[in-house]
Amino acid sequence: MPALTLDRLLASIGFGSRKEARALVRMGLVELDGNVLDDPFMELKERPENITVNGEEVPTVEKLYVMLHKPVDFECSHHPRDHRSVYELLPDRFSAMGIQSAGRLDADSSGIILFSNQGDFIHKVESPKKGCLKRYRVTLAREFTEAQEKELLAGVMLKDERRPVLAREIVREEGSVVITIGEGLYHQVRRMFAAVGNHVETLERISIGPVVLDESLGEGGWRFLTEAEIASLM
Ligand code: URA
């Protein structure tokens, strides 16, 4: 393995190419433990936990596992059409590191989205076969009847789908309903309620598998997943 030089470290955590990373060092913008580093080829014996670039202390992890509290009116795309991109809510360097969302939320929906630059993790979260259940809290335009609840639990046929999809669990709350599903089909929850004659007004995803939306984040906030959260999904 090549020695871990400062320019390599910076490039590996999204600060551009090695050439661009060297320019940052030469401009005096890189600090370690309070000391400005001036040699871009400096060899690091081990990866430091954090490094300061342009006044901001950043962790040096290469594998990204991130939770975002998505607000409405953001699209889960690098090339949004009608709204801003969720990627604007994350540091730019994450895009340079290849971060992708594991599943999507539509622009009208809010709640938890996970991101990673590790394909196996994204696959585990997205694949219905891996059994990663997702929970959504919805408010509805009309009364939610017993008959609608039974139909959703038994399974409904959605247009252009080959098999019925069913709610794994439904919990009634004061003024809202929490529904658990196993797949991630296009607009699935909205289409399921429409199929039984109701209409979703607001939709918030509150958990993905065992990982629950961290309410302390506030809309638009993000944080790294903990080791325990990553392990629980893998
Ligand atoms: N179901 C929907 O209808 N929309 C989402 O964003 C997610 C699930």
Side-chain angles (χ1 to χ4, degrees):
M1 221 176 29
L4 181 61
T5 52
L6 185 56
D7 62 342
R8 271 208 176 94
L9 171 74
L10 292 168
S12 76
I13 55 170
F15 288 103
S17 63
R18 287 177 64 194
K19 190 171 164 196
E20 286 161 336
R22 291 199 282 271
L24 286 175
V25 178
R26 292 198 178 104
M27 284 189 279
L29 295 176
V30 180
E31 290 170 46
L32 189 59
D33 300 329
N35 303 309
V36 174
L37 304 178
D38 56 11
D39 176 8
F41 299 106
M42 169 187 163
E43 281 188 25
L44 299 155
K45 277 190 213 73
E46 49 190 51
R47 225 178 159 81
E49 229 173 89
N50 296 294
I51 193 156
T52 302
V53 182
N54 214 356
E56 190 198 347
E57 191 177 59
V58 293
T60 63
V61 286
E62 277 183 286
K63 294 183 179 179
L64 298 174
Y65 303 97
V66 166
M67 168 194 304
L68 171 75
H69 185 169
K70 177 193 176 296
V72 295
D73 291 341
F74 279 80
E75 284 179 35
C76 292
S77 165
H78 284 284
H79 306 287
R81 286 205 314 205
D82 304 313
H83 300 277
R84 290 167 63 196
S85 164
V86 287
Y87 293 96
E88 284 181 36
L89 299 167
L90 301 174
D92 285 346
R93 64 188 189 87
F94 286 0
S95 291
M97 294 170 75
I99 202 167
Q100 298 291 340
S101 68
R104 293 177 172 217
L105 280 175
D106 62 59
D108 297 332
S109 303
S110 62
I112 180 172
I113 308 193
L114 302 180
F115 293 83
S116 180
N117 58 355
Q118 302 300 304
D120 57 343
F121 176 85
I122 293 179
H123 181 65
K124 288 240 159 74
V125 175
E126 281 185 343
S127 167
K129 289 199 196 93
K130 304 286 173 194
C132 183
L133 300 179
K134 286 115 189 160
R135 278 193 307 142
Y136 298 82
R137 178 172 290 121
V138 297
T139 59
L140 299 169
R142 294 185 263 287
E143 186 203 346
F144 184 47
T145 65
E146 296 285 331
Q148 291 173 359
E149 179 172 342
K150 277 201 187 118
E151 259 189 274
L152 287 172
L153 289 166
V156 289
M157 226 28 234
L158 302 180
K159 190 165 173 281
D160 297 334
E161 304 299 343
R162 300 207 338 252
R163 290 184 201 88
V165 284
L166 48 90
R168 306 299 182 91
E169 185 182 54
I170 289 183
V171 177
R172 289 170 181 267
E173 293 181 339
E174 190 69 39
S176 58
V177 173
V178 174
I179 179 170
T180 305
I181 58 171
E183 311 80 5
L185 304 173
Y186 177 73
H187 285 192
Q188 181 171 338
V189 173
R190 291 177 195 277
R191 289 159 69 210
M192 287 174 75
F193 280 95
V196 299
N198 214 315
H199 175 78
V200 170
E201 285 192 325
T202 65
L203 186 155
E204 180 186 39
R205 182 156 60 200
I206 53 178
S207 65
I208 297 178
V211 179
V212 178
L213 174 64
D214 182 342
E215 297 285 354
S216 74
L217 284 177
E219 293 204 345
W222 69 271
R223 67 162 170 79
F224 289 110
L225 293 184
T226 63
E227 291 290 333
E229 286 169 334
I230 299 165
S232 74
L233 288 161
M234 299 294 269

